[in-house]
Amino acid sequence: MASVTIQGVSKRYPNGTEAVKNFSLDIRDGEFVVIVGPSGCGKSTILRMVAGLEEITQGDLYIDSCRMNNVAAKDRNISMVFQNYALLPHLNVFDNIAFGLKIRKTPKAERKQKVLDAARMLGIEHLLKYPLGQLSGGERQRVAMGRAIVRDPAVFLMDEPLSNLDAKLRTQMRAELTQLHQRLGTTFIYVTHDQTEAMTMGERIVVMDNGVIQQVGTPEEVYNCPSNRFVAGFIGTPPMNFFRTEQDGAACTAGVRPEHIQLCGANTPGARPAKVDLVEFLGAEKLVYLNMSGETIIMKTAADTQIAPKQAVFISWNETHMHIYQT
Ligand code: ADP
């Protein structure tokens, strides 16, 4: 286990791309941090710099209190799990998990014990003799995790490890990864473009855009108090509604989350007229797409709300739920 300190780190690739700009973050020993942002925002580059697979152009990286900038990847005591698992298709599950230990010449008995322990933890004991080709996507994902676990690293780095699994399996693996983190107590740094993964797994979330940190906070902090319009629009699904408004005589953007919009009477203070464009029934709730003075507003409402397309309604929201951005 180890803390990771990233101080003022920037990355400029040889072709001039500035992938990461002045990134600073203190990750506590044993913490589960998720770095989230759209494709190309620099998430993988950060992870690869921590892993030692990419040189740091500027700034400092510490694992515990040791400066790592010039330490080779193999000497950083880190395990990395990628989206494409880099497993060896001609080997069985046991040998895939044991692969790194074998290369490091770990004694055979110790190797076996570690593989069995990891397989038990991941619920794949019964698959150890199976050739990799007979495994499902989720099982392969567990094998890749197993390979990372047996190395007993100080830090786990994960780069979109679930993105090629189907939606149901992703949900299941999310929960499994959270439990695995609780069991291992090791520092996890996890990269994803999927805000739901970030919200559900991260103890803290780092939202990035265009190489720059936009906000760092717990899922609750980032969801309830997004520090700028980018974070407000990126975190949350369906996304926050934005519309032009005025405050103190100046034009600005207001944001209200779909669950904070409600139907009301015409005489309710702050009531705004809107027309229903579309209603989506999701089982436990309905999403209602409204046209409010030419702007599309999504309202989340109870499943039994009586509402239909073309209906004229009034909507309102509590001012405390309105976010104002000066852009
Ligand atoms: P993300 O993981 O958020 O999708 P990356 O860290 O992979 O983003 O990439 C960040 C930016 O750096 C992108 O603009 C990408 O095109 C660029 N980039 C990534 N790798 C290289 C490279 N080896 N050489 C030049 N540019 C790169």
Side-chain angles (χ1 to χ4, degrees):
M1 296 208 291
S3 61
V4 177
T5 306
I6 305 169
Q7 272 178 2
V9 163
S10 299
K11 175 70 186 183
R12 180 193 287 266
Y13 283 107
N15 68 359
T17 304
E18 280 196 73
V20 173
K21 298 163 201 158
N22 196 20
F23 186 107
S24 293
L25 184 67
D26 286 323
I27 300 171
R28 291 187 301 273
D29 184 2
E31 192 175 14
F32 195 150
V33 164
V34 180
I35 302 175
V36 65
S39 177
C41 75
K43 312 178 291 290
S44 297
T45 301
I46 278 287
L47 213 63
R48 293 171 59 78
M49 287 192 284
V50 174
L53 302 174
E54 206 63 73
E55 215 170 286
I56 295 172
T57 311
Q58 201 183 327
D60 298 295
L61 168 72
Y62 297 88
I63 294 182
D64 280 337
S65 45
C66 295
R67 189 169 182 272
M68 287 286 148
N69 291 50
N70 302 316
V71 174
K74 66 177 176 41
D75 299 325
R76 292 192 185 190
N77 196 13
I78 274 173
S79 274
M80 190 149 174
V81 181
F82 297 92
Q83 171 183 355
N84 51 350
Y85 319 123
L87 296 172
L88 302 159
H90 58 287
L91 298 182
N92 68 18
V93 169
F94 184 100
D95 290 335
N96 263 285
I97 298 179
F99 189 73
L101 298 177
K102 202 167 172 186
I103 286 180
R104 281 180 182 71
K105 302 200 165 39
T106 306
K108 205 169 173 184
E110 185 184 338
R111 213 156 70 206
K112 187 171 175 194
Q113 193 57 50
K114 284 191 162 173
V115 173
L116 286 177
D117 287 348
R120 203 167 295 139
M121 193 178 283
L122 295 162
I124 50 173
E125 270 171 296
H126 59 293
L127 299 175
L128 286 171
K129 292 204 175 77
Y130 276 57
L132 214 64
Q134 293 185 14
L135 266 50
S136 69
E139 288 163 346
R140 283 178 201 218
Q141 181 59 55
R142 291 190 190 93
V143 176
M145 288 302 302
R147 181 194 280 182
I149 289 170
V150 291
R151 291 188 46 200
D152 202 13
V155 182
F156 274 101
L157 303 180
M158 283 173 254
D159 192 348
E160 306 255 7
L162 308 184
S163 55
N164 51 9
L165 304 179
D166 66 47
K168 194 168 172 215
L169 200 51
R170 265 205 313 271
T171 310
Q172 183 188 335
M173 290 299 290
R174 267 196 334 241
E176 288 188 20
L177 278 175
T178 303
Q179 286 171 339
L180 185 67
H181 173 255
Q182 286 164 1
R183 251 176 272 148
L184 293 172
T186 310
T187 311
F188 276 32
I189 310 179
Y190 187 104
V191 156
T192 180
H193 67 277
D194 180 340
Q195 62 87 36
T196 308
E197 278 184 21
M199 291 290 284
T200 50
M201 294 197 291
E203 289 174 285
R204 272 195 307 160
I205 300 179
V206 179
V207 186
M208 280 184 83
D209 186 35
N210 203 13
V212 178
I213 293 184
Q214 304 294 314
Q215 188 168 5
V216 180
T218 63
E220 289 83 1
E221 285 165 354
V222 171
Y223 188 81
N224 293 330
C225 306
S227 61
N228 59 35
R229 179 168 171 180
F230 174 81
V231 178
F234 189 77
I235 299 289
T237 178
M240 187 183 280
N241 297 296
F242 293 110
F243 49 92
R244 302 299 292 167
T245 188
E246 254 188 31
Q247 207 179 45
D248 304 327
C252 58
T253 301
V256 184
R257 293 210 181 274
E259 65 270 31
H260 292 141
I261 292 182
Q262 67 231 358
L263 295 171
C264 65
N267 298 325
T268 306
R272 299 215 192 188
K275 199 166 150 221
V276 179
D277 280 337
L278 183 75
V279 179
E280 286 179 350
F281 175 67
L282 298 181
E285 64 214 9
K286 276 178 183 163
L287 292 184
V288 183
Y289 293 72
L290 300 154
N291 182 326
M292 183 183 80
S293 318
E295 312 219 41
T296 298
I297 300 286
I298 304 176
M299 171 177 72
K300 198 185 269 191
T301 185
D304 58 1
T305 304
Q306 295 302 311
I307 193 158
K310 299 198 176 119
Q311 200 175 323
V313 295
F314 286 90
I315 55 173
S316 65
W317 51 86
N318 189 323
E319 290 282 315
T320 57
H321 289 134
M322 191 161 83
H323 304 261
I324 296 290
Y325 300 104
Q326 305 302 331
T327 51

